[in-house]
């Protein structure tokens, strides 16, 4: 079962696990002692009626009260420890999922909806945690109670104990037949939940579009269809689980009546006393409780398998190339070469084929070409967001595949067309790449990008919260903020991917005038269609038919 591969992430520390096992074992012993005390009480009440018998009854009742008190304390300690341990397990598993999300290549997320990852973090991790804390852990006391009750029953009446055990295959077959329905429903439910979360996450990002096209009712109906699908699957799952436990309980109760019939016969022929019959029946009831509990465990196992399979498949996704032992790329001057580089996105024709391109240190080039010609792909290859199918890429003559990702990406600043910002303050966004930066450094970067003027006019200046994805800013303001964030890291290589796409003509002219100084002493790649931006370049390179055409120098 794939669930076992997750044990590394959810197994508690040895001391905690040992303490939980001790508490559960003690609780089971306390539970097993109660039928024995009940038998003693029945014997005291039935065997005579004198004062000594009443005093004996009082002693047994006081002993029972003490046992109940101990059991309550044990239950409290167990519940608290298991609960807190379960939360630690869930937190550890969520941390592992999030860590893996961070190291997966961008191509993984290009083929999946963001809601799938959110579902792994929330729903699937919680299913696993609940299974461990409320289901798997409860199996130990159930098993201890079962075997303890069986052992004591053999000492009281071997025949009745053996009959009780012979009923177990009947219970197991019932669990198996009914439980077969649970697993496919549980798997479908997990996928339906993921689809619904993905839909909600996508629509939250599309709210302005939804409102501009008056699609509120349509989107509500689309959500309702997914919500109904989840509800139908939930009902089916509850139906099967609701049938499972009562069916096993019915069979167990029927078996208990059979044992009662046998027990009464043995009392009549004086093989056991009435007090021992009471103890036998109570121990038989203790045996049926684990059987019913195991029925619930079986149902939960089937549900957990779906979540476990999704998590294991997720962890099997290959992260970005490991960096252990790779040296850092330092003292970068910015000489870049693409040597016979080929690349194709999965299921598509080659986008780049044996492409060669050289960019001298300190040079500003403009990459032009139609949409889909591979301009942004070059930037992604340079930053190792994606890997070439063949060929190599060098910076200052060093093959970037042989150097750490962190040092390569610290050497390259990317200002993308689609600006990604935090729902935080202006200062937090600018300092994202250098969180230890001083206020003076942040302001210097903002001035260099031309953002300082509009920032100081905002209600709280650099402490102004800009909302999700900078929704309180204009497109041009977001672009300048993104440029300030990049400039704060002072990268020797700068990539501006359609950086003026959100500007009006005057804004573009101001941006270009402000950028002239910034481009000096850096290697700059301008990905653009705009003639005004092209004017900043020393050389224009056009991409066409999977190749780079000879550059035009200025």
């Amino acid at each position: 079962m794939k669930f076992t591969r997750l044990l590394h992430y959810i197994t508690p520390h040895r001391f905690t696990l040992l303490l939980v096992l001790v508490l559960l074992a003690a609780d089971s012993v306390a539970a097993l002692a109660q039928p024995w005390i009940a038998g003693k009480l029945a014997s005291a009440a039935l065997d005579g009626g004198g004062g000594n018998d009443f005093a004996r009854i009082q002693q047994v009742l006081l002993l029972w009260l003490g046992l109940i008190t101990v059991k309550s304390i044990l239950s409290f300690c167990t519940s608290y420890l298991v609960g807190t341990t379960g939360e630690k397990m869930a937190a550890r598993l969520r941390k592992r999922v999030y860590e893996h999300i961070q190291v997966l290549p961008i191509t993984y997320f290009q083929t999946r909806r963001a809601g799938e990852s959110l579902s792994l973090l929330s729903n699937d991790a919680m299913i696993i945690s609940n299974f461990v804390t409320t289901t798997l852990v409860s199996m130990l006391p159930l098993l201890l109670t079962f075997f303890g009750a069986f052992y004591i029953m053999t000492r009281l009446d071997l025949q009745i104990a053996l009959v009780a055990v012979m009923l177990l295959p009947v219970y197991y077959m019932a669990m198996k037949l009914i439980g077969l329905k649970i697993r496919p429903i549980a798997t479908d439910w997990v996928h339906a939940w993921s689809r619904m979360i993905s839909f909600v996450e996508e629509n939250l990002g599309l709210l302005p579009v939804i409102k501009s096209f008056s699609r509120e009712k349509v989107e509500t109906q689309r959500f309702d269809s997914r919500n109904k699908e989840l509800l139908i699957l939930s009902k089916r799952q509850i139906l099967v689980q609701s049938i499972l436990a009562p069916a096993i309980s019915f069979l167990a109760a029927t078996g208990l009546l059979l044992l009662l019939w046998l027990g009464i016969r043995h009392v009549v022929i004086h093989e056991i006393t009435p007090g021992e019959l009471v103890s036998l029946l109570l121990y038989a009831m203790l045996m049926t409780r684990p059987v019913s509990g195991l029925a619930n465990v079986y149902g939960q196992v089937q549900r957990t398998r779906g979540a476990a399979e999704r998590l294991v498949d997720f962890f099997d996704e290959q992260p970005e190339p490991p960096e252990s032992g790779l040296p850092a790329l330092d003292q970068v001057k910015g000489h870049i070469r693409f040597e016979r580089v080929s690349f194709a996105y999965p299921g598509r024709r080659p986008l780049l084929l044996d492409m060669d391109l050289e960019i001298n240190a300190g040079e500003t080039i403009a990459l032009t070409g139609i949409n889909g010609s591979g301009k942004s792909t070059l930037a992604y290859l340079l930053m190792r967001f994606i890997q070439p199918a063949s060929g190599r890429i060098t910076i200052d003559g060093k093959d970037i595949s042989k150097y750490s990702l962190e040092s390569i990406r610290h050497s390259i600043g990317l200002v993308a067309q689609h600006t990604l910002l935090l729902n935080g303050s202006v200062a937090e966004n600018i300092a994202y790449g250098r969180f230890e930066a001083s206020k003076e450094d942040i302001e210097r970067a903002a001035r260099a990008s031309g953002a300082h003027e509009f920032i100081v006019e905002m209600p709280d200046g650099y402490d102004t919260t800009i909302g999700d994805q900078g929704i309180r800013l204009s497109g041009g303001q977001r672009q300048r903020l993104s440029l300030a964030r990049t400039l704060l890291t002072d990268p020797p290589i700068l990539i501006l991917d359609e950086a003026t796409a959100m500007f009006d003509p005057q804004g573009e002219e101001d941006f270009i005038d402000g950028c002239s100084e910034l481009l000096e002493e850096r290697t700059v790649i301008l990905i653009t269609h705009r003639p005004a931006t092209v004017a900043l370049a020393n050389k224009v390179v056009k991409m066409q038919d999977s190749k780079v055409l000879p550059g035009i120098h200025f």
Side-chain angles (χ1 to χ4, degrees):
M1 180 181 176
K2 288 191 174 185
F3 177 74
T4 56
R5 293 180 58 187
L6 298 175
L7 290 179
H8 173 70
Y9 308 119
I10 59 177
T11 302
H13 295 295
R14 290 181 180 178
F15 176 76
T16 303
L17 182 60
L18 180 63
L19 184 57
V20 168
L21 294 177
V22 169
L23 288 173
L24 290 173
D27 188 67
S28 295
V29 171
L32 288 170
Q34 293 197 63
W36 177 78
I37 293 177
K40 293 295 182 183
L41 182 64
S43 296
L46 296 174
D47 290 347
N52 289 335
D53 291 320
F54 186 73
R56 184 178 158 201
I57 290 172
Q58 288 181 314
Q59 291 174 354
V60 174
L61 287 174
L62 286 173
L63 178 61
W64 204 342
L65 177 61
L67 184 64
I68 292 172
T69 303
V70 170
K71 194 174 186 310
S72 298
I73 294 172
L74 287 171
S75 296
F76 163 74
C77 294
T78 303
S79 297
Y80 180 77
L81 184 59
V82 169
T84 54
T85 302
E87 289 302 318
K88 289 177 183 177
M89 290 178 187
R92 186 178 177 186
L93 185 56
R94 286 194 299 266
K95 179 175 180 286
R96 180 66 186 90
V97 170
Y98 190 77
E99 285 175 347
H100 199 65
I101 287 174
Q102 296 297 306
V103 300
L104 287 175
I106 284 180
T107 49
Y108 171 83
F109 302 99
Q110 290 173 338
T111 57
R112 291 166 178 81
R113 303 174 76 173
E116 293 183 29
S117 300
L118 294 177
S119 181
L120 289 169
L121 273 170
S122 56
N123 184 61
D124 292 359
M126 192 54 65
I127 287 175
I128 299 293
S129 172
N130 288 339
F131 175 75
V132 173
T133 55
T134 63
T135 306
L136 195 61
V137 171
S138 67
M139 289 180 67
L140 176 68
L142 288 176
L143 293 174
L144 285 176
T145 301
F146 176 83
F147 287 111
F150 173 70
Y151 173 75
I152 297 173
M153 286 180 70
T154 60
R155 302 302 299 269
L156 294 173
D157 192 308
L158 180 60
Q159 183 183 0
I160 293 178
L162 291 176
V163 171
V165 171
M166 289 171 61
L167 294 172
L168 292 181
V170 178
Y171 304 149
Y172 176 78
M173 289 304 299
M175 281 193 295
K176 191 74 174 175
L177 291 173
I178 301 173
L180 286 174
K181 303 282 187 180
I182 295 178
R183 186 184 177 191
I185 296 174
T187 302
D188 291 342
W189 186 93
V190 169
H191 289 304
W193 173 269
S194 176
R195 286 193 295 271
M196 189 181 75
I197 293 297
S198 297
F199 176 82
V200 172
E201 188 272 338
E202 181 181 78
N203 272 25
L204 288 174
L206 290 174
L207 274 178
V209 178
I210 292 171
K211 291 183 177 297
S212 66
F213 287 97
S214 301
R215 292 262 305 183
E216 291 92 342
K217 290 184 179 178
V218 175
E219 296 302 328
T220 299
Q221 290 172 354
R222 291 179 65 202
F223 173 80
D224 191 45
S225 67
R226 286 163 174 76
N227 199 28
K228 284 180 178 177
E229 178 190 13
L230 189 66
L231 177 61
I232 290 170
L233 289 170
S234 297
K235 285 182 175 180
R236 289 177 184 170
Q237 191 168 255
I238 292 170
L239 175 63
V240 177
Q241 289 178 338
S242 299
I243 291 173
L244 183 59
I248 301 303
S249 296
F250 171 77
L251 292 174
T254 304
L256 186 63
L257 290 176
L258 174 62
L259 297 179
L260 177 60
W261 176 74
L262 285 174
I264 292 174
R265 287 190 61 193
H266 288 195
V267 170
V268 171
I269 61 178
H270 303 292
E271 288 189 359
I272 57 174
T273 66
E276 289 174 334
L277 175 61
V278 171
S279 293
L280 272 170
L281 292 177
L282 290 176
Y283 279 120
M285 291 177 67
L286 276 182
M287 287 182 68
T288 60
R289 190 183 62 144
V291 170
S292 299
L294 288 173
N296 288 325
V297 167
Y298 188 85
Q300 291 298 321
V301 165
Q302 300 308 314
R303 185 183 181 199
T304 304
R305 287 181 71 168
E309 287 171 359
R310 281 165 50 88
L311 282 168
V312 170
D313 290 341
F314 169 73
F315 288 135
D316 283 342
E317 292 289 339
Q318 291 300 308
E320 290 183 304
E323 302 187 346
S324 55
L326 292 180
L329 187 69
D330 53 8
Q331 298 180 343
V332 174
K333 296 178 181 178
H335 182 267
I336 302 168
R337 280 182 64 91
F338 290 81
E339 302 174 3
R340 300 184 65 81
V341 171
S342 297
F343 176 80
Y345 288 103
R348 294 166 58 182
R349 66 177 182 80
L351 185 61
L352 304 174
L353 194 59
D354 292 334
M355 187 211 73
D356 291 305
L357 175 64
E358 183 173 3
I359 306 169
N360 295 318
E363 186 176 39
T364 298
I365 75 159
L367 272 180
T368 64
I370 63 172
N371 289 333
S373 59
K375 302 184 299 297
S376 297
T377 298
L378 277 186
Y380 278 23
L381 285 166
L382 184 60
M383 298 191 74
R384 288 182 60 192
F385 291 155
I386 51 180
Q387 305 298 321
S390 62
R392 72 173 194 151
I393 304 167
T394 65
I395 296 178
D396 297 339
K398 301 172 182 176
D399 189 339
I400 62 173
S401 66
K402 295 177 170 53
Y403 290 84
S404 69
L405 282 173
E406 184 177 1
S407 64
I408 291 168
R409 291 171 184 173
H410 278 174
S411 303
I412 304 171
L414 173 64
V415 181
Q417 177 181 357
H418 302 291
T419 306
L420 302 175
L421 298 171
L422 298 171
N423 185 357
S425 69
V426 170
E428 287 172 334
N429 275 277
I430 295 176
Y432 187 77
R434 257 186 68 197
F435 61 89
E436 79 286 355
S438 65
K439 290 183 179 179
E440 291 76 16
D441 290 336
I442 292 172
E443 185 175 325
R444 191 179 303 113
R447 287 182 183 277
S449 70
H452 178 73
E453 288 73 16
F454 77 79
I455 292 173
V456 294
E457 293 177 358
M458 299 175 78
D460 298 313
Y462 282 84
D463 293 324
T464 303
T465 300
I466 63 174
D468 283 337
Q469 297 301 328
I471 196 171
R472 298 176 186 172
L473 303 177
S474 69
Q477 288 173 333
R478 291 198 295 270
Q479 210 79 49
R480 290 185 183 275
L481 212 59
S482 177
L483 179 59
R485 178 176 62 188
T486 301
L487 293 176
L488 185 61
T489 63
D490 194 25
I493 300 171
L494 183 62
I495 302 172
L496 301 179
D497 188 354
E498 299 289 2
T500 62
M502 303 298 288
F503 289 97
D504 57 29
Q506 183 59 50
E508 182 179 28
E509 185 178 331
D510 294 341
F511 183 82
I512 291 169
D513 290 341
C515 276
S516 298
E517 231 179 276
L518 300 175
L519 306 186
E520 295 179 1
E521 299 181 1
R522 300 178 197 272
T523 301
V524 182
I525 301 174
L526 301 172
I527 299 173
T528 184
H529 291 96
R530 297 198 175 198
T533 307
V534 171
L536 287 168
N538 310 124
K539 181 172 69 174
V540 178
V541 174
K542 184 176 182 180
M543 298 193 65
Q544 182 177 314
D545 298 329
S546 307
K547 301 283 186 181
V548 172
L549 300 183
I552 303 172
H553 293 265
F554 295 97

